[in-house]
Amino acid sequence: MSQKASQNWTLGKVTVRDRPTTFPLYNCTAKVRGGQCPPYVTFLSHLAIIISFPLIAIYMTDQTLSPSQHPLASAIHDLESGRALLPHSDRNLVEVVGILESYGYVLDAYAINLNYIADHQCLVFFPWFKYFNGEFSLQKLLRHWWHDRINYEYAEYCMKGMFWHGGGGLDAYLDTDEFRQRIEPLIQYKFKYNPVMLGLHKLFPEFLPELVRQMCLYSGLGQFWRIMSDMFLSLSDRYNQGEIKTIPDVVQHILAGLVAAASNPITYRPTVGNSTFEIIPESQGITFLMDTAVPYVEAIFFRGTPFPGTISYNAQAYQIPLHQSDFAYGALYADPLPIGGSGIPPTQLMQDMRHFLPDYLHEIYRTEGRSETDLRVKICESFQKSMFCVTTAALKGLAPFPMDTTNPEEQAQNRQYLEQWMNRFTTSRLQQVRAGV
Amino acid sequence: MLSTLLLLPFVGALVLWIVPEKLAAEKYRWVAMGVAIVSFGLTLLLGWQFDITQPGWQFVEEISWIDAIGLNYQLGVDGLSFPLLLLNGLLTIIAIVASDRHINRPKFYYILILLLNIGVVGAFVARDVLLFFLFYELEVVPLYFLIAIWGGKRRGYAATKFLIYTIFSGAFLLAAFLGLVWLSGISSFNYEDLRSHTLSLTPQLWLLGGLIIGFGIKIPFIPFHTWLPDAHVEASTPVSVLLAGVLLKLGTYGLLRFGFGLFLDAWVQIAPWLAIWAAISALYGAVCAIAQQDMKKVVAYSSIAHMAFILLALAANTRLSLIAAVMQMVSHGLISGLLFLLVGVVYKKTGSRDVTYLRGLLNPERGLPIIGSLMIMAVMASSGLPGLVGFPAEFLVFRGSFPVFPTATLFCMVGTGLTAVYFLLMVNKVFFGRLPDYLAQMPSVTWGDRLPSLAIAVLLLWFGLQPGWITRWVEADVTALMEKSLESNAIQNQPFDLAIDWAIDRAIDWAMVTSLSSELSSGVGAIAPSLDIE
């Protein structure tokens, strides 16, 4: 069974057009043509070929893909069948929609703050009140110190993650000459009365551009989350109206949102003093999906950073991969249990989401486990489920062909695509999430 | 007033005995709690009226009881016993709070707790040695039942072992007390009468030997210690708290009050041996603690090690060390009480005390973060970290003992260093790392679980910063004891500096073990009592 399955898998992997060239009998025939076999053998061989070719053609056009042998084959088959990485259940649906609603509110706040910082705190070296969105008051300061606030630090953590891991057109643009040319007027204008800074800028020409690059990431992530926030809140509205009934519905909603916003331009025009500078013009062609969404998923969902917490990492002992591309510390790999210590970034997100939980989900959490005490763990578990839905939408959106294609060749390519992705999921929390652990 | 402290729990026990059997466990608990709180309040009132500048007995009560055998109902409290009285009052309340709200046979349980309280209070306030003995024996009975009925799987074995050891302890004590009265030729067991009568050295040595064995079993020192780990492991959490916090102190209190107080000449003679015994006990307890896998056993062996410091301080017989001995009793009572409480919560929530099974309990969401933090605080206190009560207590012990028994003190200091080793091993294994999935669904910790521990933790910190709140009770009486010590025939007025130089020279000249025996042979202990470092 295993050997047969392996052969079939190879068949599916290689395109039909190439298939006969590897057929063993054909190779044998070539040898026969070399005159090493008696004439009757040659005749029988040719006869066999003539008879077998139509049969092979019939076999290959009628065939469907055989089951994948990948360790995460069940997930692959679910995706191919139009389902999601997260199996559907009423409980999963409530958790995912509920948590995405609270996430939507949190992202809304994050996006507003990221865009504010990008637009109004550009090249401000000590942005003391950057989390106040330009609305500073003593009362707000006291609330901030009392920690009655949104943890905007988490948004910055994600921004820095994207900045560090790079990828996509936005990241590539930041290293171009055009970018350097566009930011120079900004720098000159900002420090026109500050000869010391301008002198330092000449001495250390990478310092200020690097700060502006970071501001570009602030802006890029802010614009990305603006769209995602609206998408998650509209999902919740549709669920409340009874339009979302299954997990595949959730995935479809997200996929539609991603596709609709895919080509939205990402631009950046910070205001310094009374002047506005166009740092990322629309003409650069930097778009929502490929230049912010995909790098975000790669940086935050997959790679992440080994943040300090209850687990210590020893890079010298190779406990951290040598290459950034091999990192697997993202949201899809995060262990929900150790969260909660001070300074652990995901905890800040869970802390923020608990303020916006819909009542129906909060009530479920209250009746389970340690009620309010381990709320952040439960939020994290639900959040991880929802992120696998977002990932499903992203995988479907980026697949070479629609998942419901009937063309065997396209199916085969989709299979190859999915199996490559599943290789990355083998150490993720996917199996636990699917098993309901 | 002191009789009220005895009568209250008795009346409480009587009320519990009279009320119907079928009441909810909570109601028995509230009665016992009320009695314990009122008793503790009365003890605090005593403290308010206590004159700390005056040595000797205060709040004296005396009723003639059985003249034929010279037994009188004579009560009193002084600076040596009052801190322990307070400790007992506090830990009794905490033990009741920490008791299971739905415990089986609650009526009998709380009656036994109150009877235990009577025994301990009586022993601490008795001015008559026979009365002390009666109370000392009285507490054995409820403790036996508390272990035998509400203990763990091997409770029968542990309770019986405890009973056998304690019976032997009592037998040695009774023999020593009777021998003292007989040899003194007086017809009373009154403590002051016996103290004013000095026996010759040889009978003193015999009688003191009996007392040391008797109290040594109770404390316990090696090799009399084997009942303690079993008793702790099998006892329920509140009983462990009382056992470690108060009951073991009966032994050290007895050594100080009767061993040191009544047989000073003999005490001075054997002090070097006692110091060596203390060092061995401290090291042995520490090494055994390192090897344990059961958290309760770790704490139990730690108790053995830390109680040895009290013996060292008593053996050194300086003003500072005697103050330190009482302080260490209180300190150990609080720290071990807290440790047993915390281990109890861990066991209640996880069902295990096995350090190889438990892990990651400091997890902030699904672990025991506050309990774990308190545990870290308790082990720091036990290790003598400055700012917590263990530091002034152990520092005073070592500071007071070092001039007299430098080598033994150094060994004991190694023992306290090992405290950090075994407790940090335990804390590291149990509380750090990732919480395993099989522990991720622990039940919530309630404030009822935390409050008793928090109350003791506050005291650890308070007495760590203000050790004078303990030592001030003791100073006057220790000064009086030292005056008696100075009058002793064994006193030789050797200059302090000379003795220090001599001890240091010996320590340098000889290897550690050889030095120990040379300390004995050269009679440093004999000159020790005069070495008041203050």
Side-chain angles (χ1 to χ4, degrees):
Chain A
M1 175 66 189
S2 170
Q3 190 182 359
K4 183 185 175 188
S6 174
Q7 286 167 353
N8 288 334
W9 183 84
T10 308
L11 193 67
K13 186 176 179 184
V14 181
T15 60
V16 176
R17 188 170 55 248
D18 297 335
R19 186 72 181 88
T21 60
T22 59
F23 202 62
L25 184 59
Y26 191 82
N27 292 338
C28 175
T29 312
K31 281 186 174 181
V32 171
R33 281 176 181 166
Q36 294 172 10
C37 297
Y40 67 92
V41 174
T42 306
F43 169 75
L44 289 175
S45 301
H46 282 228
L47 187 64
I49 291 166
I50 289 164
I51 294 170
S52 64
F53 260 59
L55 292 175
I56 291 167
I58 291 165
Y59 164 73
M60 300 198 76
T61 49
D62 286 352
Q63 73 162 320
T64 52
L65 280 178
S66 55
S68 170
Q69 294 304 303
H70 195 276
L72 291 172
S74 63
I76 293 170
H77 298 149
D78 280 350
L79 290 173
E80 288 173 341
S81 312
R83 293 187 291 269
L85 288 171
L86 178 71
H88 171 73
S89 69
D90 290 342
R91 173 58 191 262
N92 280 346
L93 181 67
V94 168
E95 280 189 59
V96 167
V97 174
I99 211 69
L100 285 180
E101 181 184 339
S102 66
Y103 190 46
Y105 287 114
V106 173
L107 286 191
D108 178 53
Y110 289 166
I112 289 170
N113 185 245
L114 288 172
N115 288 327
Y116 166 76
I117 292 172
D119 292 341
H120 300 286
Q121 301 287 318
C122 186
L123 292 180
V124 176
F125 292 139
F126 300 102
W128 303 113
F129 304 113
K130 63 181 176 181
Y131 297 144
F132 291 83
N133 294 333
E135 298 167 352
F136 179 78
S137 69
L138 181 64
Q139 190 184 3
K140 286 193 172 182
L141 181 66
L142 292 174
R143 283 180 60 190
H144 182 87
W145 283 344
W146 189 247
H147 216 89
D148 180 14
R149 66 185 184 92
I150 295 286
N151 290 300
Y152 295 115
E153 293 89 341
Y154 177 74
E156 291 185 310
Y157 163 78
C158 291
M159 179 276 297
K160 285 176 180 168
M162 282 182 74
F163 193 25
W164 191 50
H165 286 295
L170 174 60
D171 182 59
Y173 169 69
L174 299 180
D175 293 324
T176 61
D177 289 338
E178 185 182 344
F179 172 74
R180 295 297 290 256
Q181 288 163 10
R182 283 183 174 276
I183 63 169
E184 196 56 33
L186 167 66
I187 292 170
Q188 295 299 327
Y189 180 82
K190 170 77 181 175
F191 300 110
K192 61 186 173 185
Y193 301 121
N194 192 340
V196 176
M197 273 313 301
L198 289 177
L200 286 171
H201 178 48
K202 286 198 181 304
L203 277 173
F204 306 102
E206 281 302 318
F207 179 66
L208 293 177
E210 191 70 359
L211 289 184
V212 183
R213 283 190 192 106
Q214 185 167 293
M215 284 297 135
C216 292
L217 262 297
Y218 268 100
S219 180
L221 183 58
Q223 291 172 68
F224 167 67
W225 271 348
R226 170 77 274 134
I227 291 168
M228 297 306 287
S229 167
D230 296 342
M231 189 191 299
F232 294 144
L233 292 176
S234 65
L235 170 76
S236 170
D237 292 342
R238 288 186 62 201
Y239 173 77
N240 293 337
Q241 291 159 11
E243 295 174 24
I244 302 289
K245 292 188 172 68
T246 62
I247 290 293
D249 289 346
V250 173
V251 172
Q252 189 54 42
H253 174 89
I254 297 169
L255 179 58
L258 290 173
V259 170
S263 57
N264 282 14
I266 299 294
T267 60
Y268 179 41
R269 295 188 191 87
T271 303
V272 178
N274 294 323
S275 300
T276 301
F277 297 85
E278 191 159 48
I279 303 299
I280 306 178
E282 193 172 337
S283 59
Q284 272 301 316
I286 295 172
T287 56
F288 165 81
L289 185 65
M290 294 311 292
D291 302 318
T292 56
V294 172
Y296 174 82
V297 168
E298 177 67 23
I300 305 303
F301 282 23
F302 285 94
R303 296 189 189 180
T305 54
F307 48 83
T310 50
I311 298 173
S312 297
Y313 298 94
N314 184 350
Q316 282 73 31
Y318 300 103
Q319 289 173 358
I320 293 176
L322 281 176
H323 305 291
Q324 270 177 256
S325 57
D326 295 332
F327 273 35
Y329 303 106
L332 303 181
Y333 301 80
D335 183 353
L337 207 50
I339 70 159
S342 63
I344 302 177
T347 305
Q348 296 172 335
L349 175 62
M350 308 312 149
Q351 183 71 28
D352 287 339
M353 283 200 281
R354 70 186 298 172
H355 297 306
F356 301 101
L357 288 176
D359 290 341
Y360 58 85
L361 185 57
H362 202 168
E363 193 52 38
I364 290 173
Y365 289 156
R366 266 201 212 102
T367 56
E368 291 181 349
R370 289 188 173 190
S371 189
E372 297 281 347
T373 312
D374 61 346
L375 197 58
R376 288 178 297 190
V377 173
K378 288 180 275 201
I379 290 174
C380 189
E381 287 169 344
S382 299
F383 179 69
Q384 210 157 39
K385 289 181 180 179
S386 72
M387 289 303 103
F388 276 108
C389 291
V390 176
T391 307
T392 304
L395 287 181
K396 288 187 171 183
L398 297 172
F401 300 101
M403 286 295 159
D404 54 359
T405 179
T406 53
N407 183 328
E409 187 177 343
E410 292 176 357
Q411 285 179 344
Q413 286 194 40
N414 277 348
R415 169 68 63 84
Q416 187 180 4
Y417 161 82
L418 290 175
E419 285 183 334
Q420 282 170 351
W421 274 108
M422 287 306 137
N423 288 339
R424 297 189 72 180
F425 281 124
T426 47
T427 57
S428 76
R429 295 268 304 168
L430 179 61
Q431 292 182 77
Q432 288 96 323
V433 165
R434 287 174 65 80
V437 176
Chain B
M1 183 73 101
L2 293 178
S3 291
T4 315
L5 285 180
L6 294 172
L7 272 174
L8 257 175
F10 180 72
V11 172
L14 211 59
V15 169
L16 287 175
W17 182 57
I18 291 168
V19 294
E21 282 277 356
K22 292 178 180 174
L23 290 180
E26 195 75 356
K27 297 202 169 148
Y28 297 108
R29 187 165 180 260
W30 280 115
V31 172
M33 178 93 76
V35 170
I37 289 173
V38 173
S39 294
F40 185 58
L42 281 176
T43 313
L44 288 174
L45 191 62
L46 277 179
W48 184 259
Q49 297 172 346
F50 191 89
D51 185 353
I52 58 172
T53 61
Q54 293 298 316
W57 301 107
Q58 300 185 33
F59 309 106
V60 170
E61 293 177 23
E62 189 162 344
I63 301 171
S64 181
W65 191 1
I66 308 175
D67 287 336
I69 59 170
L71 173 62
N72 294 304
Y73 179 79
Q74 296 172 318
L75 306 181
V77 67
D78 65 358
L80 302 180
S81 55
F82 185 73
L84 299 172
L85 211 54
L86 267 178
L87 180 69
N88 176 57
L90 175 73
L91 291 183
T92 302
I93 294 174
I94 283 175
I96 293 171
V97 173
S99 296
D100 185 355
R101 285 162 188 262
H102 308 291
I103 195 164
N104 288 328
R105 302 173 69 181
K107 180 174 178 173
F108 191 34
Y109 176 81
Y110 290 113
I111 287 175
L112 291 175
I113 291 276
L114 293 178
L115 288 178
L116 188 64
N117 190 45
I118 295 172
V120 175
V121 170
F124 283 143
V125 299
R127 286 193 301 121
D128 184 294
V129 292
L130 198 55
L131 191 64
F132 168 85
F133 175 78
L134 290 178
F135 282 118
Y136 182 90
E137 288 295 292
L138 173 65
E139 54 85 16
V140 173
V141 180
L143 192 59
Y144 168 78
F145 283 115
L146 284 169
I147 297 173
I149 297 175
W150 290 274
K153 285 179 185 171
R154 296 174 67 237
R155 56 185 181 270
Y157 167 78
T160 307
K161 196 171 179 179
F162 160 76
L163 191 64
I164 292 169
Y165 270 76
T166 316
I167 285 171
F168 272 101
S169 163
F172 275 102
L173 293 188
L174 185 61
F177 288 151
L178 290 176
L180 174 62
V181 171
W182 180 58
L183 290 171
S184 302
I186 53 179
S187 58
S188 159
F189 286 94
N190 179 273
Y191 177 76
E192 292 302 330
D193 292 346
L194 292 170
R195 193 160 181 247
S196 61
H197 192 94
T198 307
L199 292 175
S200 60
L201 188 59
T202 307
Q204 273 198 42
L205 283 170
W206 279 103
L207 295 174
L208 179 60
L211 282 187
I212 287 174
I213 293 173
F215 288 126
I217 292 171
K218 189 77 177 176
I219 292 170
F221 299 129
I222 60 161
F224 310 125
H225 67 284
T226 58
W227 66 270
L228 184 72
D230 288 324
H232 270 311
V233 167
E234 299 307 323
S236 61
T237 297
V239 176
S240 278
V241 170
L242 288 174
L243 182 58
V246 185
L247 296 168
L248 305 187
K249 308 301 174 294
L250 283 177
T252 46
Y253 171 77
L255 269 189
L256 173 60
R257 173 73 72 195
F258 304 109
F260 183 89
L262 295 178
F263 307 105
L264 188 56
D265 296 342
W267 185 271
V268 166
Q269 289 297 316
I270 63 166
W273 291 98
L274 295 179
I276 293 169
W277 196 7
I280 294 171
S281 257
L283 289 176
Y284 181 85
V287 171
C288 285
I290 291 173
Q292 300 308 312
Q293 290 193 350
D294 185 323
M295 291 176 76
K296 253 192 170 181
K297 277 196 172 178
V298 175
V299 182
Y301 277 106
S302 162
S303 270
I304 293 169
H306 282 80
M307 294 298 279
F309 299 161
I310 299 170
L311 181 63
L312 174 73
L314 294 178
N317 185 18
T318 64
R319 182 172 180 273
L320 197 60
S321 74
L322 292 181
I323 292 173
V326 179
M327 174 125 191
Q328 175 68 6
M329 288 184 215
V330 177
S331 163
H332 178 263
L334 291 172
I335 294 171
S336 59
L338 177 57
L339 284 167
F340 278 115
L341 272 176
L342 296 171
V343 173
V345 176
V346 168
Y347 183 68
K348 184 177 169 186
K349 300 299 171 187
T350 66
S352 174
R353 297 185 303 255
D354 188 343
V355 297
T356 61
Y357 174 82
L358 300 170
R359 186 148 184 80
L361 295 187
L362 266 179
N363 185 289
E365 303 278 326
R366 290 195 172 163
L368 311 169
I370 296 178
I371 296 298
S373 305
L374 290 173
M375 177 66 88
I376 291 171
M377 184 180 176
V379 303
M380 284 178 169
S382 189
S383 308
L385 201 82
L388 298 167
V389 70
F391 174 71
E394 291 181 16
F395 179 78
L396 288 181
V397 167
F398 300 141
R399 181 73 182 86
S401 308
F402 185 79
V404 185
F405 300 118
T407 312
T409 306
L410 283 172
F411 275 115
C412 284
M413 289 167 76
V414 171
T416 205
L418 290 174
T419 306
V421 173
Y422 56 74
F423 272 143
L424 288 182
L425 280 173
M426 182 184 84
V427 164
N428 185 44
K429 286 178 183 171
V430 173
F431 290 96
F432 288 92
R434 186 193 183 276
L435 185 72
D437 290 331
Y438 55 80
L439 291 173
Q441 302 298 333
M442 275 183 280
S444 294
V445 179
T446 62
W447 281 105
D449 296 322
R450 294 176 185 137
L451 273 178
S453 308
L454 282 170
I456 298 184
V458 169
L459 290 176
L460 292 191
L461 190 63
W462 178 254
F463 290 135
L465 299 174
Q466 293 290 336
W469 281 56
I470 299 175
T471 56
R472 71 175 55 166
W473 301 97
V474 193
E475 286 171 6
D477 280 285
V478 165
T479 305
L481 269 178
M482 289 309 299
E483 284 169 8
K484 167 91 174 171
S485 179
L486 289 167
E487 292 166 6
S488 165
N489 292 333
I491 300 304
Q492 297 177 27
N493 294 320
Q494 293 289 335
F496 171 76
D497 291 339
L498 185 65
I500 288 286
D501 290 344
W502 183 90
I504 291 172
D505 287 345
R506 299 298 290 180
I508 292 170
D509 289 346
W510 296 89
M512 297 295 264
V513 176
T514 317
S515 177
L516 272 172
S517 56
S518 69
E519 205 172 75
L520 286 170
S521 59
S522 59
V524 174
I527 61 170
S530 65
L531 305 178
D532 186 344
I533 62 166
E534 292 201 347

